Amino acid sequence: MNSTKQRTEQDRAVRAAENGGLPTLGFDSVTPYDEYVGTAALHRLQRTATDAPEELAFLVTTQVMELYFGLLRTEWRLAQRQLDEDDAGAALATIRRTVRHFEALNAAWASLGWLTPAQFNRFRDALGEASGFQSAYYRHVEFLLGLKSETLIRPHRRNPAAYEELVEALSRPSLYDSVLAFLARSGYAVPREVTERDYAAEYRPSPEVEAVWVEVCRGPLEPLAEALVDLAEKFSDWRYRHLMAVRRSMGAKPGSGGSNGLAWLERSMRRDVFPELWSARTLM
Ligand code: HEM
């Protein structure tokens, strides 16, 4: 333990003794907890559009998911930097952590699993054209998973900050691209046209990359492959739970974002994440 840490531990021990074992009960202004978490600002954000009692759960669940999209985005960018530095151990730890974040994110669907069409109808009109389809952070998450699409960033054109971030994310390597580049540097036969591709273009699966995964899964980097499969699976779970929430609360009606709803979501779900990691399993 370094000396500052030791002093802080000693301070805590002295305070606990002075408090007779109880938590500290007196503060000069807002509590350090409120200051750190920003609770006042956080709780001001739940501005519902109607008086329908069901709407708050819808809004809070959406906000919680937005925060998780932001967390995943930050974590995967870190994993990319770790891969760029050929630090596979650190990248694996980061990716595994995000599998847990995804589990927590997916668990949040339980808060909406009860929503009936009648209850949703009480506040649905008040959402206007608002739709999760317009979430820039979700789109960024998809880009990092390798699902690139120029079309899907168009809703953000009039919001320069979000748009520029997405334009940049579109042309930068995805997490999958970073992993493939790392494998190439580690001696695996990832074709040059894959590592040097136009990152903004839709990813095209290749038999060579499939063969690379077969080989990777026989060696010491297998845990990295499996952690990525976990991620892809958790993302599928998110999409499936979303689809079920939609079917349950509004059936096949058109969405507030202007799409034909279920049919559009089903088509969107068919875009596979880390495709060769799945197809390679047939060859193992
Ligand atoms: C019962 C609740 C929900 C319903 C009925 C619903 C409905 C829909 C529909 C119909 C779409 C297709 C686009 C459109 O609006 O036309 C969509 C897309 C989307 N929704 Fe939801 N949604 C619900 C909850 C949520 C929540 C809690 C989130 C969390 C942020 C979310 C995020 C998204 C995202 C990210 C998309 C785009 C998906 C893609 O591009 O593949 N939705 N939603």
Side-chain angles (χ1 to χ4, degrees), residues 62 65 120 131-133 138-139 242 246 249 255 257-259 264 268:
T62 307
M65 289 191 180
F120 190 32
S131 163
F133 169 75
Y138 173 83
R139 210 50 71 197
H242 178 249
V246 174
S249 61
S259 79
W264 186 82
S268 163

Side-chain angles (χ1 to χ4, degrees), residues 143 148 166-173 197-201:
F143 287 180
K148 298 287 185 77
L166 282 174
V167 168
E168 206 214 325
L170 183 71
S171 57
R172 276 177 51 82
R197 71 190 195 89
D198 168 13
Y199 297 121

Side-chain angles (χ1 to χ4, degrees), residues 116-122 124-125 246-265:
T116 66
Q119 290 167 334
F120 190 32
N121 285 342
R122 281 190 209 139
R124 190 167 180 234
D125 287 349
V246 174
R247 285 182 75 184
R248 195 175 172 138
S249 61
M250 57 173 267
K253 291 174 202 160
S256 49
S259 79
N260 54 7
L262 264 191
W264 186 82
L265 287 170

Side-chain angles (χ1 to χ4, degrees), residues 208-262:
E208 291 89 346
V209 172
E210 197 177 69
V212 163
W213 283 119
V214 173
E215 208 186 323
V216 167
C217 287
R218 285 196 200 114
L221 287 173
E222 192 204 20
L224 180 61
E226 290 306 302
L228 292 169
V229 171
D230 283 340
L231 265 194
E233 202 174 312
K234 300 295 167 204
F235 181 60
S236 278
D237 290 346
W238 188 90
R239 297 204 281 192
Y240 181 72
R241 298 294 306 271
H242 178 249
L243 193 79
M244 283 299 122
V246 174
R247 285 182 75 184
R248 195 175 172 138
S249 61
M250 57 173 267
K253 291 174 202 160
S256 49
S259 79
N260 54 7
L262 264 191

Side-chain angles (χ1 to χ4, degrees), residues 73 77 136-145 165-166 169:
R73 198 177 81 138
R77 282 158 153 184
Y137 274 63
Y138 173 83
R139 210 50 71 197
H140 204 142
V141 160
E142 278 203 345
F143 287 180
L144 283 166
L145 288 172
E165 266 199 348
L166 282 174

Side-chain angles (χ1 to χ4, degrees), residues 19 54 152 195 204:
N19 288 351
E54 298 86 1
L152 296 181
T195 51
R204 295 236 177 106

